[in-house]
Amino acid sequence: MNDVEVEVLAEPELDDPVLVEGLPGVGHVGTLVAEHLIEEGESELLRRIYSEHLPPQVTVSETGLAELVAVECHHVAIGDRDLLVVTGDQQAASGVGHYRIAEAVLDIAGEVGVGSVLALGGVPTGELVEEHAVLGAASSETLIETLEDVGVEFRENEPEGGIVGISGLLVGLGGQRGLTAACLMGETSGYLVDPKSAQALLGVLQTHLDFEVDLTELEERADEMEDVVARMQEIEDQNVPTEDDLRYIG
Amino acid sequence: MNDVEVEVLAEPELDDPVLVEGLPGVGHVGTLVAEHLIEEGESELLRRIYSEHLPPQVTVSETGLAELVAVECHHVAIGDRDLLVVTGDQQAASGVGHYRIAEAVLDIAGEVGVGSVLALGGVPTGELVEEHAVLGAASSETLIETLEDVGVEFRENEPEGGIVGISGLLVGLGGQRGLTAACLMGETSGYLVDPKSAQALLGVLQTHLDFEVDLTELEERADEMEDVVARMQEIEDQNVPTEDDLRYIG
Amino acid sequence: MNDVEVEVLAEPELDDPVLVEGLPGVGHVGTLVAEHLIEEGESELLRRIYSEHLPPQVTVSETGLAELVAVECHHVAIGDRDLLVVTGDQQAASGVGHYRIAEAVLDIAGEVGVGSVLALGGVPTGELVEEHAVLGAASSETLIETLEDVGVEFRENEPEGGIVGISGLLVGLGGQRGLTAACLMGETSGYLVDPKSAQALLGVLQTHLDFEVDLTELEERADEMEDVVARMQEIEDQNVPTEDDLRYIG
Amino acid sequence: MNDVEVEVLAEPELDDPVLVEGLPGVGHVGTLVAEHLIEEGESELLRRIYSEHLPPQVTVSETGLAELVAVECHHVAIGDRDLLVVTGDQQAASGVGHYRIAEAVLDIAGEVGVGSVLALGGVPTGELVEEHAVLGAASSETLIETLEDVGVEFRENEPEGGIVGISGLLVGLGGQRGLTAACLMGETSGYLVDPKSAQALLGVLQTHLDFEVDLTELEERADEMEDVVARMQEIEDQNVPTEDDLRYIG
């Protein structure tokens, strides 16, 4: 295996596709949206990216099948909209690896004619969130204005430490390649898998890209998590939990 | 020395050999089985893999001989069965290293005509185990069925975090190369070297590959460890030991 | 993207330029000086260095623009003096990365005709500092004498562990390339952003390089920090803060 | 700078030279011996090895000169004996780096005609040591016998974890290149710089290589450390110090 190896599974013609990335991160917000799009749209797996920069690991399916960790690129058609949805079980295991995987994703984006990139993720607030704002960062002023019109908030110096990992690099390196690129981040506590933040993010995405998906399943998961959160808050009322307590619930 | 360097020590003709990997890991279960096979079968060292991705280290033998850390591939003949047994003192020291060493092992497997891979290891339960189940993950549904027939358990989402290190990669990368590949993992506490788990694993291996080895030595080691475990449990009855207490016994 | 990629933004003729490096480090002393020079002088951005050895990160501007982490080389003209000021948001993320970025900076220095290098930084004292001495280390005895004449102190075996990161390497590798190179380090507590140490360092720089800049802004920042320090010392009088307490203020 | 870069400073003809390595490690035992040989013999610096695998660092001399971290190879003539003494301020900063630096040292050894390698170091006992045994590990049985005759002890399974770092690799990789190679390790507490252990090691070296050096300076340093140890033991009698207390003294 080379540094990065791309398995080509299908090569359909896409119509002005938008890259939507949702690899694992804070609150699994990006992953939840990406997986929901794949499930609700008309989907086809186009590429698998294998790399020694991903963790040295196989995942085990429900039936016991072992599969090498990979980043996957799916074609998802929803209404008239063509998406290239990028997801997977793991991000790269090192800083250099993040750069290499991001470049590989952008190469594939180039092959299928992607003109704009939306990297999805969560931004941790450190406390349980009622209203899930969607924060943004983008490669151009024009895109910032467009996104503000659909409800994305651009706050001074947020997120404070910048955006780390593949989401940041897809915007940074994508911008360098002349793509219109933005990172959209749903506010989330940072402690829990957060389907409600994913719902808020998907809402913005629908308006921005002008498509509609059935949100039922995501709403159900959000309801389940609300129950968990409610139980959490009961516990919190009794004795303030440490970060470690909460971490096991994610 | 290059990235990975293979020393060729012998090149016998092997008859449909099965790769059996047992490098150090949880409970040393895989290593115990691999070493037992080498001792009990008719064995010949075929290859040594040296690599800067292994720890920068020599081991010191009982007589004081210093030997560079290596992964070793042995031909082991037991009855009519030809095995390529892969073992050694150390796994790779980094994620990239795991990929590189796994590829080197699979290259050697290709040279000697290996068609199927069994990566052995332990799966930690976090507590002392009475019955040592053998869990599995495999590269195909057919192999899963075959292994279930010899007593391997395939449990939904276990091991939870997937399989990390060379065992996982031999199955994942091996599957990609068209090999029939599985990981077999003996349940073990995770705190102790576990010859009893190794015995259970070897039992499954014997049935699956249709050979027989003398288990006396492994049973003796298991009895010794049972004494240790018994002493451990006495202590446990007095005051619950921390993980750190137990770690020193392994 | 390659290992290191240099974006060329301008190529003016420089007159015997001096490289002044101020990347983030102890007390942000070097960065404060570098940024002050860029703001007060006549400045032009000449080069951006992107690299997979920098953190995989974009910074987000006040308006929401995402920018890939980079090391920047500015031409700064102050009076008759031409400087090549090197700064940025981040240092390299690994030891090898520090070497690669330092070499890239020195290559650019070579292209624009730099003959001497001043790497700026802070040296931590571990306690709040009243008088900010400027310590030095240099590539030649002659340069040591010259710098002593402008108030730089050369103390036996200080800093004790040598100088780590790009500042050290610009002097070490710069010296090997035949450049006159020194590291100038303002004494600072190590806990706080320290504009007062930066002021002391800039004072030495002005005398050594024979230029003058308006210090008003740096003085204002120093006054603000003095207030912070005063509040810190009040707290300290009440109960001795741990390093962790202080770290959040930097 | 490449991966590893060798600066050639002199190329004398050496007469059957023995490589003696003493880079920093446990108790600085190897370094103390190497530096003592350089000081007491007729010495010339032959090579400096610079590498991005060494820490990104300059050391600062007593007068303030900054020098890039390097591994140095000195020709040391003592009586009729030609040594290639390898020392420096730092070992490599990574596992891969240890391999690369060790290969570079062995390449130089090949250029000057080295036939045998003695890698010096300390082996930690975890407690203050009265008698400093010298333990060994070697690349051949013959060499083990020869070294036993001059008082080197070869103990079953010691040092337990093998020998890590450049000392181990010079023996392991040196043996692979057909060199007669051994590691000699003075017993030492592991907490303190230990000139007494260095003295014991140098004693063995003198007998084995049949040369004599003045030990006065090393004895004086040993006396100084004995005073430190005596003060340590007083403290120990009062309250048992933790490892952390002791660490600051090394």
Side-chain angles (χ1 to χ4, degrees):
Chain A
M1 185 157 85
N2 290 326
D3 188 39
V4 172
E5 205 154 276
V6 179
E7 185 184 6
V8 179
L9 296 148
E11 306 224 57
E13 290 283 311
L14 306 190
D15 178 19
D16 190 18
V18 175
L19 191 159
V20 175
E21 174 266 329
L23 281 158
V26 181
H28 285 251
V29 178
T31 313
L32 285 169
V33 174
E35 285 173 356
H36 191 78
L37 291 170
I38 292 167
E39 276 161 34
E40 298 296 329
E42 199 177 315
S43 301
E44 184 181 29
L45 180 57
L46 305 189
R47 301 282 193 282
R48 277 203 201 91
I49 303 171
Y50 298 104
S51 174
E52 64 186 21
H53 298 296
L54 293 170
Q57 193 175 341
V58 288
T59 54
V60 181
S61 77
E62 290 184 12
T63 57
L65 276 178
E67 274 170 33
L68 192 58
V69 161
V71 170
E72 296 184 337
C73 303
H74 302 257
H75 169 217
V76 176
I78 301 179
D80 292 344
R81 180 57 81 179
D82 268 354
L83 304 177
L84 181 73
V85 177
V86 177
T87 189
D89 296 293
Q90 298 274 357
Q91 290 213 13
S94 69
V96 168
H98 280 300
Y99 278 92
R100 302 279 175 95
I101 303 291
E103 295 282 10
V105 167
L106 289 170
D107 287 347
I108 293 167
E111 285 165 34
V112 302
V114 162
S116 71
V117 172
L118 294 168
L120 310 183
V123 61
T125 60
E127 52 190 25
L128 298 174
V129 179
E130 292 286 317
E131 295 297 309
H132 296 78
V134 174
L135 303 190
S139 63
S140 76
E141 299 285 1
T142 320
L143 184 54
I144 289 173
E145 280 166 36
T146 310
L147 289 169
E148 276 178 334
D149 289 348
V150 296
V152 178
E153 294 182 23
F154 290 82
R155 297 191 192 147
E156 212 171 300
N157 295 320
E158 275 199 50
E160 210 192 330
I163 302 162
V164 178
I166 192 166
S167 291
L169 290 185
L170 287 179
V171 177
L173 294 168
Q176 286 191 334
R177 290 187 185 207
L179 302 176
T180 305
C183 189
L184 302 180
M185 296 156 282
E187 277 193 327
T188 178
S189 67
Y191 303 132
L192 301 151
V193 173
D194 195 341
K196 214 165 173 193
S197 179
Q199 251 183 294
L201 189 48
L202 196 49
V204 164
L205 213 63
Q206 285 183 325
T207 316
H208 177 54
L209 297 182
D210 192 23
F211 66 81
E212 266 180 54
V213 291
D214 184 348
L215 292 175
T216 318
E217 206 193 333
L218 211 51
E219 277 162 7
E220 280 168 18
R221 294 191 65 170
D223 289 346
E224 283 166 38
M225 279 312 290
E226 291 237 307
D227 292 349
V228 173
V229 170
R231 287 200 298 277
M232 290 300 313
Q233 276 171 328
E234 276 174 38
I235 296 164
E236 206 169 309
D237 292 349
Q238 288 161 25
N239 59 342
V240 180
T242 66
E243 276 195 21
D244 276 358
D245 293 332
L246 288 159
R247 202 158 284 158
Y248 289 105
I249 296 164
Chain B
M1 183 158 83
N2 290 326
D3 188 40
V4 172
E5 204 154 276
V6 178
E7 185 185 7
V8 179
L9 296 149
E11 307 224 56
E13 289 284 310
L14 305 191
D15 179 17
D16 190 19
V18 174
L19 190 159
V20 175
E21 174 265 328
L23 281 158
V26 181
H28 285 253
V29 178
T31 312
L32 285 169
V33 173
E35 285 173 357
H36 191 78
L37 291 171
I38 292 167
E39 276 162 34
E40 298 296 329
E42 200 177 312
S43 302
E44 184 182 29
L45 181 58
L46 305 189
R47 301 281 193 285
R48 277 204 202 92
I49 302 170
Y50 298 103
S51 174
E52 64 186 21
H53 298 295
L54 293 170
Q57 194 175 342
V58 288
T59 54
V60 181
S61 77
E62 290 184 11
T63 57
L65 276 178
E67 275 170 33
L68 192 58
V69 161
V71 169
E72 296 184 337
C73 303
H74 302 258
H75 169 217
V76 176
I78 300 179
D80 291 345
R81 181 57 83 178
D82 269 354
L83 305 176
L84 181 73
V85 177
V86 176
T87 188
D89 296 294
Q90 298 274 358
Q91 291 214 13
S94 69
V96 169
H98 279 300
Y99 278 92
R100 302 280 175 95
I101 302 290
E103 295 282 9
V105 167
L106 289 170
D107 286 348
I108 293 167
E111 285 166 32
V112 302
V114 162
S116 70
V117 171
L118 294 168
L120 310 184
V123 61
T125 59
E127 52 189 25
L128 297 174
V129 179
E130 292 286 316
E131 295 296 310
H132 296 79
V134 174
L135 303 189
S139 63
S140 76
E141 300 285 1
T142 319
L143 183 55
I144 290 172
E145 281 167 36
T146 309
L147 289 168
E148 276 178 334
D149 289 348
V150 297
V152 177
E153 294 182 24
F154 290 81
R155 297 192 192 146
E156 211 171 302
N157 295 320
E158 275 199 50
E160 212 194 329
I163 302 162
V164 179
I166 192 166
S167 292
L169 290 185
L170 287 179
V171 177
L173 294 169
Q176 286 191 334
R177 290 187 184 207
L179 301 176
T180 305
C183 189
L184 302 179
M185 295 156 283
E187 277 193 329
T188 179
S189 67
Y191 303 132
L192 301 150
V193 173
D194 196 340
K196 214 165 174 193
S197 178
Q199 251 182 293
L201 189 47
L202 196 49
V204 163
L205 212 65
Q206 284 182 327
T207 317
H208 177 54
L209 296 183
D210 192 23
F211 67 80
E212 267 180 53
V213 292
D214 184 349
L215 292 175
T216 318
E217 207 193 332
L218 211 51
E219 277 162 7
E220 281 168 16
R221 293 192 66 171
D223 289 347
E224 284 166 36
M225 280 311 291
E226 291 238 305
D227 292 349
V228 172
V229 170
R231 286 200 299 276
M232 291 300 314
Q233 277 171 327
E234 275 173 39
I235 296 163
E236 206 170 308
D237 292 348
Q238 288 162 23
N239 59 341
V240 180
T242 67
E243 277 197 19
D244 275 359
D245 293 332
L246 288 159
R247 202 158 285 159
Y248 290 105
I249 297 163
Chain C
M1 184 158 83
N2 291 325
D3 188 39
V4 173
E5 205 153 277
V6 179
E7 185 184 8
V8 179
L9 296 148
E11 307 224 58
E13 290 284 310
L14 306 191
D15 179 18
D16 191 18
V18 175
L19 190 159
V20 176
E21 174 265 328
L23 281 157
V26 181
H28 285 251
V29 179
T31 312
L32 286 169
V33 174
E35 285 172 357
H36 191 79
L37 291 170
I38 293 167
E39 277 161 34
E40 297 297 329
E42 199 178 313
S43 301
E44 184 182 27
L45 181 58
L46 305 189
R47 302 282 193 282
R48 277 203 201 92
I49 302 171
Y50 298 104
S51 173
E52 65 186 20
H53 298 295
L54 292 170
Q57 194 176 342
V58 288
T59 54
V60 181
S61 77
E62 290 185 11
T63 58
L65 276 178
E67 274 170 33
L68 192 58
V69 161
V71 169
E72 297 185 335
C73 303
H74 302 258
H75 169 217
V76 176
I78 301 180
D80 292 344
R81 180 57 81 178
D82 269 354
L83 305 177
L84 181 73
V85 177
V86 177
T87 188
D89 296 294
Q90 298 274 359
Q91 289 214 11
S94 68
V96 168
H98 280 301
Y99 278 92
R100 301 280 174 95
I101 303 291
E103 296 282 10
V105 167
L106 290 170
D107 287 348
I108 293 167
E111 286 165 34
V112 302
V114 162
S116 69
V117 171
L118 294 169
L120 309 184
V123 62
T125 59
E127 52 191 23
L128 298 173
V129 179
E130 292 286 316
E131 295 296 309
H132 297 77
V134 173
L135 303 190
S139 63
S140 76
E141 299 285 1
T142 320
L143 184 54
I144 290 172
E145 280 166 34
T146 309
L147 290 168
E148 276 178 334
D149 288 349
V150 296
V152 178
E153 295 183 24
F154 291 81
R155 297 190 191 149
E156 211 171 300
N157 296 319
E158 274 198 51
E160 211 193 329
I163 302 162
V164 178
I166 192 166
S167 292
L169 290 185
L170 287 179
V171 177
L173 294 168
Q176 286 192 334
R177 292 188 184 206
L179 302 176
T180 306
C183 189
L184 302 180
M185 295 156 282
E187 278 193 328
T188 179
S189 68
Y191 304 132
L192 302 150
V193 173
D194 195 341
K196 212 163 176 195
S197 179
Q199 250 183 296
L201 189 48
L202 196 49
V204 163
L205 212 65
Q206 285 183 326
T207 318
H208 177 54
L209 297 182
D210 193 24
F211 67 80
E212 265 180 54
V213 292
D214 184 348
L215 291 176
T216 317
E217 206 193 332
L218 210 50
E219 276 161 8
E220 280 169 17
R221 294 191 66 170
D223 288 346
E224 283 166 37
M225 280 311 291
E226 291 237 306
D227 292 348
V228 174
V229 170
R231 286 200 298 277
M232 289 301 314
Q233 277 172 326
E234 275 173 39
I235 295 164
E236 206 169 308
D237 292 349
Q238 288 161 23
N239 58 342
V240 180
T242 66
E243 277 195 20
D244 277 357
D245 292 333
L246 288 158
R247 204 158 284 159
Y248 290 106
I249 296 163
Chain D
M1 184 158 83
N2 290 325
D3 188 39
V4 172
E5 205 153 276
V6 179
E7 185 184 7
V8 179
L9 296 149
E11 308 225 56
E13 289 284 310
L14 306 191
D15 178 16
D16 190 19
V18 174
L19 190 160
V20 175
E21 173 265 329
L23 281 157
V26 182
H28 285 252
V29 178
T31 312
L32 286 169
V33 173
E35 285 173 356
H36 190 78
L37 291 170
I38 293 167
E39 277 162 34
E40 298 296 328
E42 199 178 313
S43 302
E44 184 182 28
L45 181 57
L46 305 189
R47 301 282 193 283
R48 277 203 201 92
I49 302 171
Y50 298 105
S51 174
E52 64 186 20
H53 298 295
L54 292 169
Q57 193 176 342
V58 288
T59 54
V60 181
S61 77
E62 290 184 12
T63 58
L65 277 178
E67 275 170 34
L68 191 58
V69 161
V71 169
E72 297 184 336
C73 303
H74 302 257
H75 169 217
V76 177
I78 301 179
D80 292 345
R81 180 57 83 178
D82 268 354
L83 305 176
L84 181 73
V85 177
V86 177
T87 188
D89 296 294
Q90 298 274 357
Q91 291 213 12
S94 68
V96 168
H98 280 300
Y99 278 91
R100 303 279 175 95
I101 302 291
E103 295 282 9
V105 168
L106 290 170
D107 287 348
I108 293 167
E111 285 165 34
V112 302
V114 162
S116 68
V117 171
L118 294 168
L120 308 184
V123 61
T125 59
E127 52 190 23
L128 298 173
V129 178
E130 293 285 315
E131 295 296 309
H132 296 78
V134 174
L135 303 190
S139 62
S140 76
E141 299 285 0
T142 319
L143 183 55
I144 290 173
E145 280 166 36
T146 310
L147 290 169
E148 276 179 333
D149 289 349
V150 296
V152 178
E153 295 182 23
F154 290 82
R155 297 192 191 147
E156 213 172 300
N157 295 320
E158 275 199 51
E160 211 193 329
I163 302 162
V164 178
I166 193 167
S167 291
L169 289 185
L170 287 179
V171 177
L173 295 168
Q176 287 192 334
R177 291 188 184 206
L179 302 176
T180 306
C183 189
L184 302 180
M185 296 156 282
E187 277 193 328
T188 179
S189 68
Y191 303 132
L192 302 150
V193 173
D194 195 341
K196 215 166 173 194
S197 178
Q199 252 182 295
L201 189 47
L202 196 49
V204 163
L205 212 65
Q206 286 181 325
T207 317
H208 176 53
L209 297 182
D210 193 24
F211 67 79
E212 267 180 53
V213 292
D214 184 348
L215 292 175
T216 317
E217 207 193 333
L218 210 51
E219 276 161 7
E220 281 169 16
R221 293 192 65 170
D223 288 346
E224 283 167 36
M225 279 312 289
E226 291 237 306
D227 292 349
V228 173
V229 170
R231 286 201 299 276
M232 291 300 313
Q233 277 172 327
E234 274 173 40
I235 296 164
E236 205 170 307
D237 292 349
Q238 289 161 21
N239 59 342
V240 179
T242 66
E243 276 196 20
D244 276 359
D245 293 333
L246 288 157
R247 203 159 284 158
Y248 290 106
I249 297 163

